Amino acid sequence: MANKGPSYGMSREVQSKIEKKYDEELEERLVEWIVMQCGSDVGRPDRGRLGFQVWLKNGVILSKLVNSLYPEGSKPVKVPENPPSMVFKQMEQVAQFLKAAEGYGVTKTDMFQTVDLFEGKDLAAVQRTLMALGSLAVTKNDGHYRGDPNWFMKKAQEHKREFTESQLQEGKHVIGLQMGSNRGASQAGMTGYGRPRQIIS
């Protein structure tokens, strides 16, 4: 993997905007949740973007987090005994977390890319993925979520409605407002387009 030097000009501006999206208060909440969900053996990161990145970078804590949301015996990610030290193994571990998170229900638009975490390109995206995962866990309410349910917003759930055949038939006879109205102003007395107005004195 090539070393990435400092950014200049437009790319520096873009990187600066991405970095401003990182929320340090949200970082504290996510760290609290991960520690409660996985147990105190995962430790705690140094405060700030860099500490958060280094803490999650090898993918082991992320894998433990997603595994803790599944019932015993159906853990989607294999967590190695010793944290991987080789770069490609660490990236592979993060990719396994992303696949398991998607299987849990996190949408593709809420997912970060492996390089966002690994190279620190967009840690706000990492926070967004973890928020989506937490929201899903609170919404599912299947007993695997540990922590304060108020830390995450519940996702909207489907509210399916059933109509009887007679209700459906009645609906066919209602003229919706989108179709216009047969009351009020009309086009009576208007001439066709392109014809001169008849002025008779």
Side-chain angles (χ1 to χ4, degrees), residues 103-116:
Y104 191 71
V106 177
T107 58
K108 277 200 182 299
T109 51
D110 285 332
M111 293 290 213
F112 67 87
Q113 301 293 311
T114 307
V115 291
D116 292 339

Side-chain angles (χ1 to χ4, degrees), residues 126-194:
V126 176
Q127 288 184 322
R128 196 168 51 246
T129 302
L130 293 173
M131 282 298 291
L133 189 65
S135 293
L136 274 169
V138 168
T139 305
K140 286 187 178 184
N141 195 18
D142 55 8
H144 298 295
Y145 175 82
R146 296 193 253 326
D148 186 345
N150 298 322
W151 285 343
F152 301 102
M153 288 178 63
K154 272 190 169 182
K155 295 217 177 248
Q157 292 178 304
E158 182 182 48
H159 182 68
K160 206 163 184 150
R161 293 177 176 84
E162 296 291 331
F163 295 103
T164 63
E165 194 58 42
S166 63
Q167 287 173 318
L168 291 171
Q169 290 303 320
E170 279 179 39
K172 289 181 180 175
H173 304 297
V174 175
I175 297 175
L177 290 176
Q178 292 93 335
M179 295 179 199
S181 170
N182 57 1
R183 295 188 191 91
S186 73
Q187 292 181 331
M190 288 182 70
T191 59
Y193 290 110

Side-chain angles (χ1 to χ4, degrees), residues 40-158:
S40 56
D41 61 319
V42 295
R44 286 181 179 274
D46 295 333
R47 287 178 68 96
R49 291 175 68 253
L50 186 62
F52 192 65
Q53 178 199 1
V54 169
W55 191 51
L56 299 175
K57 190 175 179 178
N58 66 13
V60 172
I61 291 172
L62 292 173
S63 300
K64 286 181 178 177
L65 175 65
V66 79
N67 279 350
S68 71
L69 297 172
Y70 281 86
E72 209 58 51
S74 63
K75 308 291 185 197
V77 182
K78 188 174 186 297
V79 180
E81 291 288 323
N82 300 319
S85 55
M86 294 165 72
V87 170
F88 80 94
K89 285 283 189 192
Q90 292 178 347
M91 290 181 89
E92 193 178 275
Q93 194 70 39
V94 172
Q96 285 182 32
F97 159 76
L98 290 171
K99 187 177 178 197
E102 192 177 341
Y104 191 71
V106 177
T107 58
K108 277 200 182 299
T109 51
D110 285 332
M111 293 290 213
F112 67 87
Q113 301 293 311
T114 307
V115 291
D116 292 339
L117 171 62
F118 207 81
E119 295 178 6
K121 287 191 179 212
D122 190 358
L123 289 172
V126 176
Q127 288 184 322
R128 196 168 51 246
T129 302
L130 293 173
M131 282 298 291
L133 189 65
S135 293
L136 274 169
V138 168
T139 305
K140 286 187 178 184
N141 195 18
D142 55 8
H144 298 295
Y145 175 82
R146 296 193 253 326
D148 186 345
N150 298 322
W151 285 343
F152 301 102
M153 288 178 63
K154 272 190 169 182
K155 295 217 177 248
Q157 292 178 304
E158 182 182 48

